[in-house]
């Protein structure tokens, strides 16, 4: 993960403009907020810039933003210094916290940058830090069939809806020559099928089910909710729900042609 950490620590252009950056983080925060109970103790692990973390923190007792990249931590500390509900911590700091510290643990759009072993280690940490009746949210898990082209189409749809389509087209062209594309081409993204994700979480001691709708703007990716598996279960998988996501994927794929047509019409209008 070292090369990816260096990338996120740098001045990158993964967001095509300020509008993209703002609506991206607002959408993620709003999607997470529906899972936040009043007075919850929350950990957002690998939170990135978390521009709208205050939305998540509002009903909570405390929100801990955990980020490996030191430059992002510094920016987060500056941004939320006046909010007593928000703490900013490193991964090393979080690893030292006592068992059962959190009612809700979130890791969104991070698993694809971890090795299989790193992901296992993070899940073991989450299992220890989670309160007995707590919930883990894993968002933006990338399935094997989701290509860069599908991700690009999702971004263009999001841009069309939120008023930055022209900038998104230019930004995608720019990405081809960027450090992000170089790293993605060289290192790849770690991908998991629905079955693989459920099995991995089950081995880590969780019961899990997939949400029908992914957190964020990309419907081809997956979000899972996990809880500690019941102690009476054999091999930690009692209550396991692995309901097929084939319907979700089919619905998404049926919308691809119409999505391309819609975006193409909008781009012609802009010209």
């Amino acid at each position: 993960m070292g090369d990816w950490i260096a990338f996120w620590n740098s001045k990158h252009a993964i967001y095509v403009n300020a509008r993209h950056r703002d609506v991206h983080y607002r959408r993620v925060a709003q999607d997470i907020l529906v899972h936040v109970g009043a007075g919850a103790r929350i950990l957002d692990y690998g939170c990135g810039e978390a521009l709208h973390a205050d939305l998540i923190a509002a009903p909570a007792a405390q929100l801990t933003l955990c980020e490996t990249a030191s430059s992002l931590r510094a920016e987060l500390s500056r941004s939320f210094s006046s909010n007593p509900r928000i703490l900013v911590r490193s991964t090393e700091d979080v690893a030292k916290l006592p068992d059962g510290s959190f009612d809700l643990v979130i890791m969104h759009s991070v698993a694809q940058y971890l090795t299989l072993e790193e992901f296992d280690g993070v899940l073991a940490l989450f299992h220890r830090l989670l309160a007995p009746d707590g919930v883990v949210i894993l968002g933006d898990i990338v399935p094997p069939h989701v290509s860069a082209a599908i991700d690009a189409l999702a971004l263009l749809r999001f841009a069309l809806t939120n008023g930055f389509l022209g900038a998104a087209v230019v930004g995608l062209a720019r990405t081809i020559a960027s450090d992000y594309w170089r790293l993605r081409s060289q290192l790849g993204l770690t991908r998991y099928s629905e079955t693989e994700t459920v099995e991995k979480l089950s081995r880590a001691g969780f019961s899990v089910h997939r949400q029908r709708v992914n957190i964020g703007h990309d419907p081809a990716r997956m979000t899972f909710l996990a809880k500690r598996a019941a102690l009476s279960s054999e091999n930690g998988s009692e209550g396991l729900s692995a309901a097929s996501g084939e319907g979700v994927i089919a619905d998404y794929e049926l919308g691809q042609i119409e999505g391309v047509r819609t975006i193409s019409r909008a781009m012609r209008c802009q010209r």
Side-chain angles (χ1 to χ4, degrees):
M1 191 185 177
D3 288 338
W4 282 117
I5 293 172
F7 172 78
W8 295 115
N9 236 343
S10 68
K11 292 289 185 182
H12 60 78
I14 195 68
Y15 304 107
V16 301
N17 60 14
R19 173 69 176 164
H20 178 199
R21 185 168 167 263
D22 178 73
V23 297
H24 165 79
Y25 280 106
R26 185 176 294 277
R27 169 69 179 272
V28 170
Q30 290 171 336
D31 286 354
I32 290 171
L33 190 57
V34 302
H35 300 285
V36 177
R41 301 164 299 160
I42 306 171
L43 171 64
D44 189 346
Y45 194 89
C47 63
E49 297 176 60
L51 294 187
H52 297 290
D54 55 315
L55 297 178
I56 299 172
Q62 194 158 73
L63 169 62
T64 299
L65 299 176
C66 175
E67 177 52 53
T68 300
S70 58
S71 63
L72 287 180
R73 285 202 308 276
E75 182 60 34
L76 289 165
S77 296
R78 286 190 292 270
S79 298
F80 298 112
S81 59
S82 62
N83 192 326
R85 294 173 187 254
I86 299 178
L87 300 176
V88 179
R89 296 289 184 262
S90 69
T91 50
E92 292 80 9
D93 292 335
V94 167
K96 297 174 185 175
L97 293 174
D99 296 1
S101 292
F102 299 102
D103 306 299
L104 178 64
V105 176
I106 305 153
M107 188 172 80
H108 179 72
S109 205
V110 174
Q112 65 265 35
Y113 303 118
L114 303 176
T115 65
L116 300 177
E117 294 75 18
E118 287 169 340
F119 194 17
D120 286 337
V122 167
L123 292 179
L125 175 66
F126 291 172
H127 193 274
R128 183 179 71 75
L129 293 177
L130 194 65
D133 58 348
V135 175
V136 173
I137 301 175
L138 295 178
D140 234 28
I141 302 295
V142 185
H145 74 280
V146 174
S147 65
I150 290 176
D151 284 341
L153 178 58
L155 173 60
L156 291 174
R157 281 176 159 165
F158 188 57
L160 178 62
T161 303
N162 288 280
F164 62 97
L165 180 60
V169 172
V170 174
L172 284 172
R174 223 185 260 136
T175 298
I176 303 300
S178 70
D179 287 340
Y180 178 84
W181 187 258
R182 176 183 59 79
L183 284 172
R184 181 162 173 164
S185 300
Q186 290 177 357
L187 303 178
L189 300 180
T190 309
R191 301 166 186 272
Y192 301 92
S193 68
E194 180 174 355
T195 299
E196 288 169 337
T197 307
V198 169
E199 289 176 348
K200 201 168 188 66
L201 282 157
S202 178
R203 288 195 299 271
F206 293 99
S207 61
V208 55
H209 70 272
R210 179 183 170 184
Q211 293 289 94
R212 182 166 180 81
V213 179
N214 183 39
I215 289 172
H217 74 275
D218 194 335
R221 297 187 178 194
M222 302 180 291
T223 289
F224 295 84
L225 299 186
K227 301 185 75 172
R228 283 171 172 253
L231 293 177
S232 60
S233 74
E234 295 183 10
N235 61 31
S237 60
E238 182 177 283
L240 181 66
S241 172
S244 173
E246 291 177 1
V248 178
I249 294 170
D251 290 345
Y252 172 78
E253 290 176 343
L254 285 172
Q256 295 305 296
I257 295 175
E258 184 56 34
V260 172
R261 288 172 178 165
T262 301
I263 291 167
S264 298
R265 286 196 297 270
M267 291 172 65
R268 285 199 297 272
C269 290
Q270 288 202 357
R271 290 198 295 268

